[in-house]
Short mmCIF file of all heavy atoms in Angstrom, two decimals:
data_model
loop_
_atom_site.label_atom_id
_atom_site.label_comp_id
_atom_site.label_asym_id
_atom_site.label_seq_id
_atom_site.Cartn_x
_atom_site.Cartn_y
_atom_site.Cartn_z
N GLY E 158 12.59 -19.19 -2.36
CA GLY E 158 12.94 -18.03 -1.57
C GLY E 158 12.15 -17.89 -0.28
O GLY E 158 12.69 -17.51 0.77
N VAL E 159 10.88 -18.23 -0.36
CA VAL E 159 10.03 -18.17 0.84
C VAL E 159 10.46 -19.25 1.86
O VAL E 159 10.43 -19.04 3.07
CB VAL E 159 8.55 -18.27 0.50
CG1 VAL E 159 8.10 -19.68 0.17
CG2 VAL E 159 7.71 -17.80 1.71
N VAL E 160 10.92 -20.40 1.34
CA VAL E 160 11.49 -21.43 2.26
C VAL E 160 12.68 -20.86 2.97
O VAL E 160 12.85 -21.02 4.16
CB VAL E 160 11.80 -22.71 1.47
CG1 VAL E 160 12.49 -23.74 2.41
CG2 VAL E 160 10.55 -23.32 0.83
N ALA E 161 13.58 -20.24 2.21
CA ALA E 161 14.80 -19.72 2.77
C ALA E 161 14.49 -18.64 3.82
O ALA E 161 15.12 -18.57 4.90
CB ALA E 161 15.70 -19.14 1.68
N LEU E 162 13.54 -17.76 3.53
CA LEU E 162 13.16 -16.69 4.46
C LEU E 162 12.57 -17.26 5.76
O LEU E 162 12.88 -16.81 6.85
CB LEU E 162 12.19 -15.72 3.81
CG LEU E 162 11.76 -14.50 4.66
CD1 LEU E 162 12.96 -13.70 5.12
CD2 LEU E 162 10.79 -13.66 3.87
N GLY E 163 11.71 -18.26 5.59
CA GLY E 163 11.16 -18.91 6.77
C GLY E 163 12.24 -19.57 7.59
O GLY E 163 12.25 -19.54 8.88
N LEU E 164 13.24 -20.16 6.98
CA LEU E 164 14.35 -20.77 7.67
C LEU E 164 15.13 -19.73 8.43
O LEU E 164 15.45 -19.93 9.63
CB LEU E 164 15.24 -21.48 6.65
CG LEU E 164 16.62 -21.99 7.16
CD1 LEU E 164 16.40 -23.07 8.25
CD2 LEU E 164 17.44 -22.57 6.04
N VAL E 165 15.46 -18.60 7.84
CA VAL E 165 16.21 -17.55 8.50
C VAL E 165 15.50 -17.06 9.75
O VAL E 165 16.09 -16.91 10.81
CB VAL E 165 16.48 -16.41 7.55
CG1 VAL E 165 17.05 -15.20 8.30
CG2 VAL E 165 17.47 -16.84 6.42
N LEU E 166 14.20 -16.79 9.63
CA LEU E 166 13.47 -16.25 10.76
C LEU E 166 13.42 -17.29 11.92
O LEU E 166 13.49 -16.91 13.09
CB LEU E 166 12.05 -15.85 10.35
CG LEU E 166 11.94 -14.58 9.51
CD1 LEU E 166 10.54 -14.40 8.98
CD2 LEU E 166 12.35 -13.38 10.38
N ASN E 167 13.28 -18.58 11.59
CA ASN E 167 13.28 -19.60 12.61
C ASN E 167 14.61 -19.80 13.21
O ASN E 167 14.74 -20.07 14.44
CB ASN E 167 12.76 -20.91 12.04
CG ASN E 167 11.25 -21.01 12.09
OD1 ASN E 167 10.64 -21.25 13.10
ND2 ASN E 167 10.61 -20.87 10.94
N LEU E 168 15.69 -19.60 12.46
CA LEU E 168 17.04 -19.69 13.05
C LEU E 168 17.35 -18.52 13.97
O LEU E 168 18.09 -18.68 14.92
CB LEU E 168 18.06 -19.75 11.92
CG LEU E 168 18.06 -21.07 11.06
CD1 LEU E 168 19.12 -20.97 10.01
CD2 LEU E 168 18.36 -22.27 11.97
N VAL E 169 16.76 -17.39 13.67
CA VAL E 169 16.96 -16.22 14.60
C VAL E 169 16.44 -16.53 15.96
O VAL E 169 17.00 -16.13 16.99
CB VAL E 169 16.33 -14.97 13.98
CG1 VAL E 169 16.30 -13.81 15.00
CG2 VAL E 169 17.06 -14.55 12.72
N GLY E 170 15.27 -17.21 16.02
CA GLY E 170 14.72 -17.63 17.32
C GLY E 170 13.22 -17.49 17.35
O GLY E 170 12.58 -16.85 16.49
N ILE E 171 12.62 -18.13 18.39
CA ILE E 171 11.17 -18.20 18.49
C ILE E 171 10.59 -16.79 18.72
O ILE E 171 9.43 -16.51 18.28
CB ILE E 171 10.78 -19.16 19.61
CG1 ILE E 171 9.24 -19.42 19.59
CG2 ILE E 171 11.20 -18.61 20.95
CD1 ILE E 171 8.75 -20.12 18.38
N VAL E 172 11.30 -15.90 19.37
CA VAL E 172 10.78 -14.58 19.65
C VAL E 172 10.57 -13.80 18.35
O VAL E 172 9.55 -13.18 18.09
CB VAL E 172 11.69 -13.80 20.62
CG1 VAL E 172 11.17 -12.37 20.79
CG2 VAL E 172 11.74 -14.48 21.98
N ALA E 173 11.58 -13.85 17.46
CA ALA E 173 11.48 -13.15 16.16
C ALA E 173 10.36 -13.73 15.31
O ALA E 173 9.57 -13.02 14.75
CB ALA E 173 12.79 -13.28 15.42
N ALA E 174 10.25 -15.08 15.29
CA ALA E 174 9.20 -15.70 14.55
C ALA E 174 7.85 -15.33 15.10
O ALA E 174 6.91 -15.09 14.32
CB ALA E 174 9.37 -17.24 14.55
#
Side-chain angles (χ1 to χ4, degrees):
V159 75
V160 175
L162 182 56
L164 171 62
V165 169
L166 287 172
N167 273 286
L168 290 178
V169 170
I171 190 64
V172 174

